Amino acid sequence: MKITKTEIPGLLIIEPKIFGDSRGCFFELFNQKSYQENDLKTNYIQDNVSYSSKNAVRGLHYQLSPFAQAKLVQVLHGKVLDVAVDLRENSPTYGQHYAIELSAENKLQFYIPRGFAHGLSVLSDHCVFYYKCDNFYNHEAERGINFNDPELGIDWKIPVDQAIVSPKDEVLPSFKEAEKNFFFKED
Ligand SMILES: Cc1cn([C@H]2C[C@H](O)[C@@H](COP(=O)(O)OP(=O)(O)O[C@H]3O[C@H](C)C(=O)[C@H](O)[C@H]3O)O2)c(=O)[nH]c1=O
């Protein structure tokens, strides 16, 4: 596997080793031993899958400490723009975001440590999104930031007026409003 750091400390792009042949290809989506040997020591305890249509936007979501989640995300079918926003109060990149195209074609994985808001927009007709979490879902600790917050200035690569958003996400607060309740301390 190849691990690439990003300009936001902690966010990593992981390229699994792909074994191609006349039938197609094979790759290990996760292997505790080889990931730990590469200093990816996160202990995942919950796997999630979401199916989405083109122009769907999920997020930006996070869970308050001590229920914050690190995530290892991957697209199994289709293509998304995946976005992580740094909410770690002592981080030099606090409030900054990183966006990356993840697809069944590029087979890239994106590692997002605890302390980030996470969201995605669907660029293909359909998308199967799979991710591992290192903490359980906790509805009471769930918070969010409006994906279209002009202060974040995220280009979701879709026509925002055609975005398909859940009623819950429609009314998420701005970064500045949500900031009043951040509880991310460096673990
Ligand atoms: C996240 C989650 C949700 N649910 C239930 C709660 C709702 O009744 C239903 C749909 O949840 P939601 O609309 O929050 O699903 P997404 O919008 O895909 O949420 C995710 O979106 C962004 C991209 C994330 O990174 C988070 O993992 C997560 O917040 O599934 C569960 O039962 N377990 C879970 O872990």
Side-chain angles (χ1 to χ4, degrees):
M1 85 178 62
K2 179 184 173 190
I3 300 168
T4 306
K5 293 182 180 179
T6 68
E7 59 260 27
I8 296 187
L11 291 180
L12 301 172
I13 301 164
I14 301 164
E15 295 176 64
K17 181 170 176 55
I18 309 297
F19 298 91
D21 63 28
S22 58
R23 301 165 298 170
C25 72
F26 173 94
F27 66 95
E28 291 183 354
L29 190 147
F30 175 72
N31 179 313
Q32 189 177 60
K33 183 173 180 293
S34 60
Y35 274 61
Q36 295 206 346
E37 285 168 356
N38 283 276
D39 206 25
L40 298 170
K41 298 188 184 305
T42 305
N43 177 39
Y44 300 104
I45 57 174
Q46 179 177 322
D47 287 7
N48 294 335
V49 175
S50 60
Y51 287 68
S52 306
S53 305
K54 188 176 181 67
N55 294 334
V57 176
R58 294 177 182 265
L60 294 153
H61 300 157
Y62 61 97
Q63 293 190 165
L64 297 178
S65 298
F67 306 103
Q69 297 170 306
K71 296 166 188 167
L72 178 66
V73 308
Q74 176 140 28
V75 170
L76 300 182
H77 173 76
K79 184 192 291 188
V80 306
L81 188 79
D82 203 80
V83 178
V85 180
D86 192 351
L87 307 182
R88 299 167 300 182
E89 61 182 338
N90 300 319
S91 169
T93 51
Y94 176 76
Q96 293 181 32
H97 71 271
Y98 184 85
I100 180 173
E101 276 194 11
L102 303 176
S103 68
E105 186 178 0
N106 70 25
K107 301 179 184 57
L108 293 180
Q109 297 179 326
F110 187 33
Y111 174 74
I112 306 163
R114 294 183 178 188
F116 284 78
H118 176 237
L120 60 100
S121 59
V122 179
L123 308 180
S124 51
D125 288 341
H126 303 285
C127 163
V128 180
F129 190 77
Y130 166 84
Y131 53 111
K132 303 179 79 67
C133 304
D134 77 336
N135 218 346
F136 292 120
Y137 172 65
N138 183 302
H139 176 67
E140 290 67 37
E142 250 195 323
R143 297 295 184 277
I145 298 167
N146 197 292
F147 79 99
N148 200 25
D149 182 348
E151 282 208 29
L152 291 177
I154 298 169
D155 177 1
W156 291 96
K157 307 291 186 192
I158 62 168
V160 172
D161 61 336
Q162 296 175 34
I164 305 169
V165 183
S166 69
K168 176 186 78 170
D169 289 354
E170 284 280 8
V171 297
L172 288 174
S174 68
F175 180 92
K176 287 292 180 209
E177 292 158 31
E179 188 175 30
K180 300 177 187 117
N181 303 305
F182 286 163
F183 293 99
F184 290 115
K185 310 278 182 221
E186 291 299 328
D187 287 344

